[in-house]
Each structure stands twice: as C-alpha cells, then as structure tokens.
C-alpha cells in the first residue's frame, strides 16, 4: 500500500539512504509483514538484530519521508 501511494517514490528513495542492515531487516519485517523471527530467518540474522535495527530504521525512514532530517 505504502509503495503504491503518491509518496511511494519518496519511500523507496528513503530506503536507499538507510544503512544496509536496517533496510535488510525492514524489508521482510514491514513490507512482507513477517514476524521478527521470520524476518531474522529470511536475512540470516538473529531476532535480536531485527529488533535492534527496526526501530532506528523506521525512525530514519519517517524523518526522511517527512523531510524532517
């Protein structure tokens, strides 16, 4: 839904500004709606790593998309 909206291009661009580990965990976690453990398995990291990188990644995305960085 988010990618199909008017801000989809901005969202995709913002994803490209994230550190690799953040976008690696955000993609399966948020866009594929996987659980933390499923996302961890998908990208071969621990569930703790998914937790550690999800919040700052979402914060950075929000800031970038809203233009508040």
């Amino acid at each position: 839904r988010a990618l199909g909206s008017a801000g989809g291009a901005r969202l995709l661009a913002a994803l490209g500004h994230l550190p690799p580990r953040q976008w690696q965990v955000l993609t399966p976690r948020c866009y594929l709606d996987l659980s933390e453990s499923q996302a961890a398995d998908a990208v071969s990291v621990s569930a703790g790593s998914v937790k550690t990188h999800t919040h700052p990644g979402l914060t950075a995305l929000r800031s970038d998309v809203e233009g508040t960085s």
Side-chain angles (χ1 to χ4, degrees), residues 9-50:
R10 262 196 328 212
L11 183 57
L12 285 174
L15 276 170
H17 297 151
L18 294 178
R21 181 66 74 205
Q22 288 179 358
W23 64 257
Q24 286 172 340
V25 300
L26 283 176
T27 301
R29 181 75 177 112
C30 299
Y31 299 106
L32 299 177
D33 199 26
L34 298 182
S35 69
E36 287 174 353
S37 62
Q38 290 170 323
D41 287 343
V43 295
S44 301
V45 299
S46 69
S49 184
V50 172

Side-chain angles (χ1 to χ4, degrees), residues 1-5:
R1 242 181 333 178
L3 295 177
S5 71

